[in-house]
Amino acid sequence: MPDTPQPPELRADEPGSFPHSVLAERHPAIIRQVRDSFPYGPDLHAALDALLAQCTDGVIGPLPSDAPDRDRWLAWGLSTYTGRSWFEVPWLWSESYFYRLLLQTVGYFDDGPWRGIDPFRPAKRGELDAPETGDELAALDRLADLGRDEQATALLHGSLWGNRADLSFRLQTAEGAARDTTPALLADDSAALWALLPPGRADGTLCLVADNAGRELVPDLLLISHLLAHGHVARVLLHVKPHPYYVSDATTADVVDALRRLTAAAGAGAEHGRRLWQAMTDGTLTVRAHPFSAGPLPYARMPDDLRAEFAACTLTVVKGDLNYRRLVGDRMWPATTPFAEVTAHFPGPVAALRTLKSDVVTGLDAATVAALDSAEGPRWRTSGTHALIQLGQ
């Protein structure tokens, strides 16, 4: 961990702060969204109403004694935080536990009719089936006019920007091109990333820790397809969540949905879909769903088996905002704190592809931070209009 003093973990106890707004506003909205997305009966409606009251005005409650992962959550701090306000415990922990309780509330783990039903599936499917997704897949055909390296760059940026994937097939756009004072891409270690994954090496393993499903997962899969097709790596491990999490986080079912969407597309999209489908069947692409992936702790506290898997990879690419918080530690670091310093705990080379949607950020130069603060105030950290490609070794 870094030599500089560590700031305290972020909490949500300051009204007006971004973490406070997530717990006080976003979580209640998510409960209402889930309540309206399925024809749950009166019992589940009452349970969701009780969860809403607990999250806004109550304290953290326990898991049932027969919950399948109760011992794991006890090891993750449940006994310490039970009975305390949601707003006074580490924000990463309270967010994660909220989603775990939401699944409990809708019967996801119970022996009943709602067992295994993803409460976020309608939103995920709606995004994957949206016309915009078809437009973005159609744009794949235009990549054929670019050279191999330009294609790789475009697909890397598609994975970076997620559901702004209309940027993925343009090397520059009015929004994505650097401006004089507040560039969209605040840190770019892509040259060093590609040096670890040169085309034609035909060996090595990439681990990609996925973030969201739907239109954000599709660009991740397209990048994986390109890397395999051009021999940047011989094998890919795709880490997803073991169960629904953070509304849109990808699970194995979401991977299959995305592959079906690709194979049903026309042109290049279908070609990528078939390649990825075959890669999964022959083991070249392997999906992982480790319990820690839906845990409330930073990666510095990952279990030994996960550490060993990351250590054996040529490169681990960590996608998205939540995974970034878990990678560097969910703390209000000075934005100039070196990324390599706060990721020194990681057992191998690690890259972050992240669009900024929360306060935590590292690895920027002082001039960039000053320009952003002057031009946008603190909003640049959470607006989703800036991004990072960072590498630590």
Side-chain angles (χ1 to χ4, degrees), residues 5-16:
Q6 295 188 45
E9 293 179 288
L10 286 174
R11 298 175 188 268
D13 54 354
E14 181 181 343

Side-chain angles (χ1 to χ4, degrees), residues 61-338:
L63 288 174
S65 60
D66 60 349
D69 55 352
R70 183 172 179 272
D71 289 344
R72 186 179 300 127
W73 274 95
L74 288 172
W76 287 342
L78 179 58
S79 58
T80 300
Y81 299 135
T82 298
R84 296 176 62 181
S85 166
W86 290 82
F87 295 87
E88 68 178 19
V89 306
W91 181 40
L92 178 61
W93 197 97
S94 59
E95 274 196 292
S96 297
Y97 191 58
F98 165 78
Y99 288 101
R100 176 59 186 83
L101 279 190
L102 182 58
L103 292 185
Q104 190 72 42
T105 302
V106 297
Y108 184 87
F109 298 104
D110 294 343
D111 291 328
W114 296 103
R115 182 181 181 89
I117 301 298
D118 183 348
F120 310 123
R121 182 172 175 80
K124 294 176 181 178
R125 287 295 315 186
E127 184 178 280
L128 191 62
D129 295 337
E132 292 84 357
T133 304
D135 294 341
E136 289 156 9
L137 290 176
L140 277 171
D141 293 333
R142 298 198 295 274
L143 281 183
D145 298 330
L146 301 178
R148 180 191 60 196
D149 292 345
E150 290 177 309
Q151 290 182 34
T153 297
L155 292 170
L156 179 69
H157 281 256
S159 180
L160 168 67
W161 288 106
N163 64 7
R164 295 170 64 198
D166 55 320
L167 299 183
S168 62
F169 312 120
R170 310 175 192 177
L171 299 182
Q172 288 188 329
T173 68
E175 190 171 16
R179 296 188 290 269
D180 289 341
T181 56
T182 58
L185 188 56
L186 304 182
D188 185 4
D189 293 337
S190 55
L193 183 154
W194 291 121
L196 290 174
L197 304 175
R201 64 174 295 162
D203 64 359
T205 298
L206 172 74
C207 179
L208 193 148
V209 181
D211 185 31
N212 291 334
R215 288 174 62 203
E216 296 198 33
L217 182 59
V218 167
D220 295 343
L221 292 172
L222 294 174
L223 176 62
I224 289 171
S225 175
H226 181 90
L227 295 176
L228 290 173
H230 293 276
H232 292 266
V233 290
R235 184 171 179 241
V236 176
L237 305 178
L238 178 63
H239 277 256
V240 297
K241 301 300 187 294
H243 54 68
Y245 190 61
Y246 276 71
V247 182
S248 56
D249 280 32
T251 65
T252 302
D254 298 317
V255 174
V256 175
D257 283 344
L259 288 181
R260 292 189 187 280
R261 181 67 182 86
L262 281 171
T263 55
E271 181 181 348
H272 282 287
R274 289 190 294 268
R275 180 184 299 124
L276 291 162
W277 194 280
Q278 180 59 40
M280 286 191 67
T281 61
D282 66 25
T284 305
L285 170 59
T286 303
V287 176
R288 294 277 197 263
H290 196 285
F292 189 79
S293 294
L297 304 178
Y299 277 104
R301 297 175 61 183
M302 75 180 82
D304 291 341
D305 62 332
L306 189 57
R307 179 173 294 275
E309 181 159 283
F310 288 147
C313 290
T314 307
L315 176 66
T316 296
V317 174
V318 172
K319 279 293 310 295
D321 197 81
L322 174 61
N323 285 324
Y324 188 90
R325 290 165 55 196
R326 297 187 73 193
L327 177 64
V328 305
D330 201 29
R331 304 171 185 273
M332 196 66 172
W333 299 105
T336 55
T337 305

